[in-house]
Amino acid sequence: MPVDSTAEAFVTAQPATAGAAPQVTTSSRWFLRLATAAGVVAALTWIISAALTARYYFDATDEGFYLLSYRWWDTELRTYTGAQYLYGPVFEALGYDIAALRIFRLLTVVAVHLAFAVTFMRWLRLHRPGAAATGWWEAAGASVIVASGGMVYSWLPSTPGYNDVALLGALLAAAVVLVTARRVELGRRTGAAAPAMLGVVAVGMFLAKSSSAAATMLVVAVVLAVVLSPTGRSGRWSYAGFVALGALVAVIGVHVVLVPLPVAVAAMTEVLQLVASATNSPTALLAHYLGTTFVLLMDVLAQHAALVVAAVVSMLVRGRRAQVAAVVLVLVGLGITVVQVVVLGGPRGGVDNLSAFLVPVVLMLTIGVLVGGLSLGRPVGAPTTETTGGPSPLPVVLLLAVLPLTQAAGTGNPILVLAVNGFAAWAAVLVYVATGPGLATPASRVLMTALIVGVVVVPTVVATDALWKHPYHSAAASAEHIAAAGVPPLSSVLVDPRQAAEYVAIHAVLDPFIQFPGRRIMAFDELSGVVFAMDGRSVGEAWYSASDPARTRAGITWACDSEPPWADSLPLLLARRELSGADEDALSGCGLDLGRDYAPWSTVPGAPWLTVRLPIAESP
């Protein structure tokens, strides 16, 4: 049958005539082409922005930690994340070029989101037999999902970190599940490539962020068990065997090519135990997650009550007049929401605007949950386009709904702060709802059309703003950016003049003592970027935590367990505070005595927040 409404060509699937593919009118084909073009333009907006800003900015804290650990990825194994074994070799191959590493991250983000989007739409086609019989239908949905991936750039540093591995791994795992589900539903063999790839992905995820990897893979395993049920016990065991084979190959590859795993895992386990017992204990994190999520949800309901009410009404109305009133209510609610979002700063990105742009994100999810839940109880006579007699799609949809949360597990931030990076999975769920058979009223169709527009617009605007105006702990791109002359590790990036002057000043003071790469430097607290900029190496962890000094002391003690990791040149000491007695005890475990081995603290001219202690044997 013809698809008469242009909007309904994508937003609401139409019932298919048995044995016949839905015909596509010229108008609906053009609508799908325009929708695809809009999604592509939105995606290119943040992709090009990320590429153009790759040479800008440098954050001395988190980003500095990433880069310092990647710089010495195969020699400094004291860490709480194995992301350095994945990105470190890449950074080395790129000549330690920060901008090039950021471009590499961009390519992986785009490639994984595209793979996820395509596999999702191919799977969704099986459950929307009334959808327009043209490849533009899949293209429109995929472009929406890729555009939503801009949320990856909403607030984190541009340099890749362990959170990238957790997110991209989760999306790749979802893609494997989608491919598997589609093959099972079509009665095809699952093959070996997809499950083997899942095993490889799992190893990378566990290496980088074990807490989120465990949560994600547990959910993936449960859903796969359901998806594979038509294949019987032998099919499930065969699939599990290929997953195990892929994981084994990955483990052997890491162990032989990258790092001896027993040594690396032992070091990571010790640090993770320290983290779990102090700053990120499981019980404290769970309470933190629940509390912050509840507060955010209450903010959403308070600010956007009109649209939430309109969403419920749009699914329940009956009769022509009631439906007209519902459309008016939806339009009013949308108008109020747009004004609220703009006034309260939702379109802005960056760390300082997290609480603002999270609200429209959670609002879209709330609307999607309400509409999706109410559509399950659609009235008799509503169009039905789900496949009959086949596996239920709900386990896969639920997987996509929870993946952003599982990939964020283990963070000390509110869980939605990191979950928002996985917005593409939520976007796929919203596309599933928007194309479903339960949207039987004009009001619900108007609402979901607006929601899909929001799925494209909000991530694009937030990501672009974050990249240009609110980068991670840095000045906006509109400010003057220059090179830190004479500081080789930062030669591939431009920073604001204040930062440049500070790094040049620090380098001038330390230059006589850093004539060779890898000079040992102890930088208290969270000054990894300074160590990286001086081409130095830490003692113990690359991250000296300001909130957990016991962990820092444990790392220093560990590094000197057998003998100090330096020869005749004692480590330089950097700080922005007085060292405590406990810090001096940790130094004594390395055979160091402040009074005997070091000159008094001196402030760095041009960077008065930093003080230095030089070894007496080398001081002027």
Side-chain angles (χ1 to χ4, degrees):
M1 63 169 289
V3 179
D4 297 321
S5 167
T6 55
E8 289 176 3
F10 174 66
V11 176
T12 305
Q14 300 299 299
T17 302
Q23 299 175 14
V24 187
T25 64
T26 301
S27 60
S28 50
R29 189 185 301 275
W30 273 108
F31 170 81
L32 290 171
R33 288 174 177 173
L34 289 174
T36 302
V40 170
V41 169
L44 287 176
T45 299
W46 63 260
I47 291 170
I48 293 173
S49 295
L52 292 178
T53 57
R55 289 198 64 212
Y56 288 81
Y57 323 126
F58 176 72
D59 165 50
T61 57
D62 300 278
E63 185 172 42
F65 159 68
Y66 298 159
L67 293 170
L68 182 59
S69 62
Y70 303 161
R71 174 65 177 85
W72 306 101
W73 67 271
D74 57 347
T75 58
E76 304 305 308
L77 309 185
R78 178 80 177 187
T79 181
Y80 63 92
T81 169
Q84 67 186 54
Y85 307 122
L86 304 177
Y87 289 119
V90 176
F91 193 35
E92 183 177 354
L94 294 173
Y96 305 115
D97 187 303
I98 300 173
L101 183 62
R102 292 170 177 172
I103 294 296
F104 174 80
R105 181 207 186 195
L106 176 62
L107 294 175
T108 60
V109 167
V110 174
V112 170
H113 278 81
L114 183 60
F116 169 71
V118 170
T119 55
F120 173 77
M121 292 306 297
R122 283 169 57 83
W123 170 83
L124 184 61
R125 168 68 76 175
L126 298 182
H127 298 276
R128 301 291 185 261
T134 169
W136 288 106
W137 186 83
E138 283 90 347
S143 68
V144 167
I145 295 170
V146 173
S148 73
M151 275 297 181
V152 173
Y153 286 92
S154 61
W155 68 279
L156 286 173
S158 293
T159 294
Y162 54 91
N163 289 312
D164 290 273
V165 181
L167 169 63
L168 300 182
L171 291 179
L172 285 174
V176 169
V177 173
L178 290 164
V179 168
T180 302
R182 184 173 184 273
R183 288 177 177 172
V184 171
E185 291 174 34
L186 292 174
R188 299 174 183 171
R189 296 174 63 87
T190 57
M197 177 182 173
L198 181 60
V200 173
V201 169
V203 170
M205 292 175 66
F206 273 100
L207 195 62
K209 193 177 179 186
S210 57
S211 56
S212 69
T216 297
M217 286 303 159
L218 175 61
V219 177
V220 167
V222 171
V223 173
L224 276 175
V226 176
V227 166
L228 291 168
S229 58
T231 67
R233 181 179 298 180
S234 61
R236 280 179 285 191
W237 277 110
S238 173
Y239 195 95
F242 285 122
V243 173
L245 180 61
L248 179 62
V249 170
V251 167
I252 293 174
V254 171
H255 180 74
V256 173
V257 178
L258 298 179
V259 61
L261 278 177
V263 178
V265 171
M268 277 192 292
T269 300
E270 184 176 332
V271 178
L272 288 171
Q273 288 174 344
L274 288 171
V275 173
S277 64
T279 51
N280 283 356
S281 68
T283 54
L285 282 180
L286 181 59
H288 181 52
Y289 294 163
L290 294 175
T292 53
T293 300
F294 177 79
V295 170
L296 183 56
L297 184 59
M298 291 301 100
D299 286 344
V300 169
L301 295 178
Q303 295 174 24
H304 305 284
L307 188 58
V308 173
V309 171
V312 176
V313 172
S314 72
M315 298 298 295
L316 299 179
V317 292
R318 303 291 183 271
R320 181 177 299 274
R321 292 183 179 178
Q323 290 182 16
V324 171
V327 170
V328 173
L329 183 61
V330 166
L331 293 175
V332 170
L334 286 170
I336 294 173
T337 286
V338 170
V339 172
Q340 283 277 77
V341 168
V342 172
V343 169
L344 296 178
R348 295 198 302 268
V351 176
D352 295 336
N353 299 305
L354 275 168
S355 58
F357 75 74
L358 278 175
V359 169
V361 169
V362 176
L363 174 64
M364 288 189 284
L365 298 177
T366 302
I367 299 298
V369 169
L370 288 173
V371 173
L374 291 172
S375 69
L376 295 177
R378 59 184 179 272
V380 176
T384 301
T385 62
E386 300 286 355
T387 54
T388 57
S392 170
L394 289 183
V396 174
V397 175
L398 291 175
L399 169 67
L400 300 182
V402 301
L403 275 187
L405 299 173
T406 60
Q407 64 85 30
T411 175
N413 298 298
I415 193 166
L416 288 177
V417 167
L418 272 179
V420 74
N421 299 323
F423 185 69
W426 283 334
V429 174
L430 295 177
V431 168
Y432 174 86
V433 174
T435 58
L439 305 184
T441 68
S444 63
R445 292 169 187 164
V446 169
L447 178 66
M448 290 308 296
T449 300
L451 188 63
I452 293 301
V453 171
V455 165
V456 173
V457 171
V458 172
T460 301
V461 173
V462 169
T464 305
D465 180 83
L467 287 164
W468 289 105
K469 297 182 179 179
H470 298 95
Y472 193 78
H473 296 169
S474 299
S478 58
E480 182 184 7
H481 285 72
I482 61 175
V487 185
L490 301 183
S491 61
S492 63
V493 293
L494 303 176
V495 296
D496 69 79
R498 177 191 58 81
Q499 279 185 308
E502 289 178 347
Y503 287 117
V504 169
I506 296 170
H507 195 275
V509 170
L510 300 183
D511 184 61
F513 314 100
I514 54 174
Q515 294 301 308
F516 58 91
R519 176 64 188 261
R520 296 289 179 172
I521 302 175
M522 295 184 182
F524 305 83
D525 294 310
E526 301 177 3
L527 296 173
S528 302
V530 176
V531 179
F532 172 80
M534 301 302 113
D535 205 12
R537 270 193 290 184
S538 189
V539 177
E541 281 192 75
W543 182 256
Y544 279 26
S545 174
S547 60
D548 191 0
R551 175 175 148 197
T552 299
R553 294 194 297 271
I556 294 173
T557 302
W558 177 89
C560 299
D561 184 42
S562 55
E563 61 178 287
W566 57 82
D568 298 328
S569 300
L570 301 183
L572 308 177
L573 303 185
L574 307 182
R576 42 188 168 193
R577 64 171 174 84
E578 290 292 331
L579 298 189
S580 66
D583 294 322
E584 294 187 35
D585 289 341
L587 295 177
S588 68
C590 288
L592 300 175
D593 182 275
L594 288 180
R596 181 193 67 209
D597 297 321
Y598 288 90
W601 289 107
S602 60
T603 302
V604 176
W609 49 270
L610 184 67
T611 53
V612 178
R613 289 195 77 155
L614 303 174
I616 290 178
E618 298 178 74
S619 60

